[in-house]
Amino acid sequence: MIIADSRFLRACRRQPTDATPIWFMRQAGRYMPEYRAIREKMGMLDAIRTPDIAAQITLQPLNACALDAAILFSDILTPLIGMGIGLDFVRGEGPSIENPIRSAQDVDRLRTPSVLEAMPYTFEAIRLVSAELAPRGLPLIGFAAAPFTLASYAVESGGSKNYERTKALMWNAPDVWDRLMSRFAAVLGNYLFEQARAGANALQVFDSWAGALSPRDYARFVAPYTGQVIERAQQSGVPVIYFSTGTGGMLDQISALGSDVVSIDWRISLDQAWQAIGYDRAIQGNLDPVLLMADWPEVQAAADDVLAQANGRSGHIFNLGHGILPGTAVDMVRRLVDRVHEKTGEQVISRL
Ligand code: CP3
């Protein structure tokens, strides 16, 4: 099967499919015993920077379930390393940054190296995975952070609840903020473009924390840079997905950014979101990841409800509204994948 005709890529282009495609954010991760076995032996950054290991982890979930796309095993924070920011993943705590960005001097010190030289391991991993997936007709999703979400880590020095330092920089030093966001936008746009050139069939822009902003601040301080990243990524010719959470109140702005697919979370119903985004775009989502820890009848009912809201329209990609949680049972993931395929496959047959 030709990858361009895969369910996932057809749905990105809003073409009819034989069943609704499904994949999961964080589908390669700690809920899988195969993943934990590798991570017991090596650190997160070492795994990311060893192409055959990254490729192996990327393929693990596709060997366990009938998923319709792979997403490269890496992290949104790796571009910071080449820019001169010391990044580490602390076991059980998540990412930590040694020299956070707090001043104009910090921003001016940031390097903007060629992404091919800074992250050769990522492009090599993409080439390895693509070679494995091509004969199976399965697409590979490459990704990068959106500038705001990357800035929130670089400024706060890790995860954050209120983004106080990031917002202070944005409001109190708008010129410094502009320089920071412009640099990130340039690097992230090129990073995505080169991932497509190396073999990624679609690109997802992760703006996980955009929902922390008011619509007014999103418009002034974030949307222009995110728009640049999406535009550069689209120059590669592959579909671009924009992902965010908690942004149900600014879907008009998000739609205006022009991504091919908009990924939504569970805080808004899929039919309401699709109407706000516009039916000229594909939509991805939107189960609550915690739901996968409920009993199966509840999961099935919620999945069927999402499918009912999509209402057989072309251009729905089934996913969670955020990443799979580490405590999720692999069998639950498998059942959900099969349910979505069976249910939507039946609908196609009954329409024929
Ligand atoms: O989705 C995938 O399977 C592809 C790989 C991927 C990872 N991180 C692997 C990972 C992707 C696309 C990401 C994106 C990412 N990383 C985001 C955006 C998506 C989101 O969840 O909002 C963010 C905010 C990060 C930053 C990050 N990386 C955090 C906050 C953490 C710690 C929290 C956690 O879940 O452990 C990570 C670590 C991380 N990235 C792990 C994985 C599999 C866990 C590492 C481990 O302990 O083995």
Side-chain angles (χ1 to χ4, degrees):
M1 221 248 299
I2 302 164
I3 292 185
D5 293 330
S6 63
R7 271 179 202 153
F8 170 79
L9 288 174
R10 288 182 62 86
C12 289
R13 298 189 301 258
R14 292 179 296 109
Q15 294 168 331
T17 52
D18 63 344
T20 296
I22 175 167
W23 71 280
F24 298 100
M25 290 178 270
R26 291 281 170 96
Q27 64 189 21
R30 281 164 300 185
Y31 76 103
M32 294 196 81
E34 301 91 315
Y35 173 83
R36 292 196 302 271
I38 292 182
R39 285 280 287 102
E40 261 163 37
K41 288 184 239 128
M42 69 201 293
M44 179 70 181
L45 278 176
D46 288 337
I48 289 175
R49 291 190 287 205
T50 310
D52 60 320
I53 297 289
Q56 201 182 317
I57 296 176
T58 302
L59 295 166
Q60 283 175 346
L62 282 94
N63 298 332
C65 323
L67 294 159
D68 293 296
I71 180 160
L72 184 73
F73 175 75
S74 181
D75 196 82
I76 57 164
L77 301 176
T78 55
L80 293 175
I81 302 170
M83 298 185 79
I85 295 184
L87 168 70
D88 204 1
F89 287 91
V90 186
R91 200 170 273 272
E93 280 176 43
S96 105
I97 277 152
E98 193 185 304
N99 47 339
I101 296 172
R102 299 280 160 83
S103 67
Q105 289 87 322
D106 294 337
V107 173
D108 294 336
R109 264 200 300 272
L110 279 180
R111 295 196 297 262
T112 48
S114 123
V115 293
L116 292 172
E117 281 165 31
M119 291 167 282
Y121 46 85
T122 298
F123 303 106
E124 184 55 23
I126 289 174
R127 284 186 282 270
L128 293 175
V129 175
S130 305
E132 291 280 333
L133 290 179
R136 295 161 69 176
L138 288 169
L140 172 65
I141 303 167
F143 67 88
F148 172 74
T149 291
L150 191 61
S152 78
Y153 282 97
V155 174
E156 306 289 342
S157 80
S160 175
K161 193 158 169 270
N162 293 321
Y163 308 95
E164 287 168 41
R165 292 176 194 272
T166 312
K167 290 183 177 180
L169 186 70
M170 179 175 100
W171 288 321
N172 301 338
D175 53 326
V176 178
W177 177 257
D178 172 66
R179 291 213 295 281
L180 176 63
M181 292 291 276
S182 299
R183 265 181 214 210
F184 279 162
V187 170
L188 296 167
N190 286 337
Y191 184 40
L192 288 163
F193 182 87
E194 292 297 344
Q195 289 183 57
R197 286 219 316 165
N201 306 102
L203 299 165
Q204 179 156 319
V205 179
F206 283 92
D207 213 354
S208 309
W209 312 133
L213 295 159
S214 70
R216 177 169 181 264
D217 287 329
Y218 186 82
R220 290 160 76 202
F221 295 115
V222 173
Y225 311 95
T226 312
Q228 284 168 31
V229 172
I230 291 172
E231 205 182 314
R232 175 74 179 129
Q234 282 175 330
Q235 285 170 4
S236 70
V238 310
V240 173
I241 308 166
Y242 176 76
F243 162 79
S244 60
T245 69
T247 50
M250 37 203 198
L251 290 176
D252 51 340
Q253 291 195 56
I254 285 172
S255 177
L257 296 175
S259 66
D260 302 275
V261 185
V262 175
S263 193
I264 56 156
D265 74 8
W266 61 96
R267 296 171 182 92
I268 185 166
S269 60
L270 188 118
D271 53 356
Q272 195 190 337
W274 210 344
Q275 198 178 6
I277 291 159
Y279 298 119
D280 59 339
R281 254 29 106 60
I283 194 164
Q284 176 172 277
N286 69 334
L287 282 189
D288 180 347
V290 181
L291 185 76
L292 299 201
M293 292 175 196
D295 293 336
W296 172 249
E298 190 57 34
V299 181
Q300 177 175 312
D304 287 359
D305 184 50
V306 167
L307 293 172
Q309 290 180 48
N311 197 20
R313 197 178 265 118
S314 299
H316 175 221
I317 298 160
F318 203 106
N319 205 315
L320 306 176
H322 209 160
I324 296 192
L325 294 166
T328 305
V330 177
D331 196 51
M332 184 59 87
V333 175
R334 202 176 285 132
R335 281 174 93 167
L336 178 56
V337 169
D338 293 344
R339 175 69 188 172
V340 167
H341 287 157
E342 276 161 27
K343 180 88 183 163
T344 54
E346 276 168 24
Q347 284 170 359
V348 170
I349 290 164
S350 69
R351 269 205 306 273
L352 290 177

